[in-house]
Amino acid sequence: MPELYSKEVPGTGSATETPTRRFHSTVDHIVDCAPPDIISIYGALLHGQKVRPTFNILGKRDVLGTVSENKEMKQKVDGKMETVTKSWSYFKMSEYKWMNYNETIDFTKDLGAGFLKLGMKKGSRVTIYAPTSREWQLCAMGAFSQSMQI
């Protein structure tokens, strides 16, 4: 059976609205701050590793190709229903490739060490010019592992 990540908050939702959902262990309250031992974003990553080292946290899918299809649809044209052909295109994607906490920490520590070898130091600024992705997040965490700014 899959692990339950969220639960419905009792007394929320209606006939026209879905119920509010919260993390399964905090249904009765909102968590508004991190535990006192977490003082940075990288500290939160280290905490996750300590609590659930093999839990998958960063996933990505590769684009395997583009699929194009023609579909016939009914559409009103000049007040009359006609059958028209529409072209649809979408990406064919791979299965998710996951990194767990342990793999993520190892990767970001190595990347952070690479930043140091390039002459950067604590407080240096790292610019990541790329679309938001798993790789972008890994670069950010690599910088955070050495107390660098992004």
Side-chain angles (χ1 to χ4, degrees), residues 92-125:
K92 181 176 172 123
M93 306 296 290
S94 70
E95 294 297 316
Y96 276 95
K97 297 173 185 173
W98 291 98
M99 290 178 73
N100 63 34
Y101 276 105
N102 283 335
E103 294 164 334
T104 302
I105 295 289
D106 289 345
F107 189 96
T108 56
K109 281 184 178 177
D110 288 346
L111 186 60
F115 288 148
L116 294 176
K117 191 166 185 163
L118 290 171
M120 302 177 84
K121 58 187 183 294
K122 179 179 178 177
S124 292
R125 293 183 179 162

Side-chain angles (χ1 to χ4, degrees), residues 37-138:
D37 60 326
I38 299 176
I39 58 171
S40 67
I41 294 171
Y42 196 72
L45 187 65
L46 293 172
H47 175 77
Q49 181 191 32
K50 184 170 40 172
V51 175
R52 298 174 87 179
T54 60
F55 184 74
N56 291 332
I57 59 166
L58 291 176
K60 82 177 264 184
R61 296 170 72 187
D62 294 321
V63 177
L64 301 176
T66 304
V67 177
S68 296
E69 296 178 352
N70 291 324
K71 294 185 179 184
E72 290 188 354
M73 306 184 73
K74 300 279 186 196
Q75 182 175 332
K76 197 176 248 187
V77 178
D78 295 329
K80 296 184 228 170
M81 290 303 286
E82 292 185 12
T83 301
V84 295
T85 303
K86 297 265 186 175
S87 294
W88 300 88
S89 294
Y90 56 92
F91 293 118
K92 181 176 172 123
M93 306 296 290
S94 70
E95 294 297 316
Y96 276 95
K97 297 173 185 173
W98 291 98
M99 290 178 73
N100 63 34
Y101 276 105
N102 283 335
E103 294 164 334
T104 302
I105 295 289
D106 289 345
F107 189 96
T108 56
K109 281 184 178 177
D110 288 346
L111 186 60
F115 288 148
L116 294 176
K117 191 166 185 163
L118 290 171
M120 302 177 84
K121 58 187 183 294
K122 179 179 178 177
S124 292
R125 293 183 179 162
V126 178
T127 301
I128 307 169
Y129 188 72
T132 305
S133 62
R134 179 173 75 174
E135 292 76 15
W136 188 99
Q137 188 66 45
L138 288 166

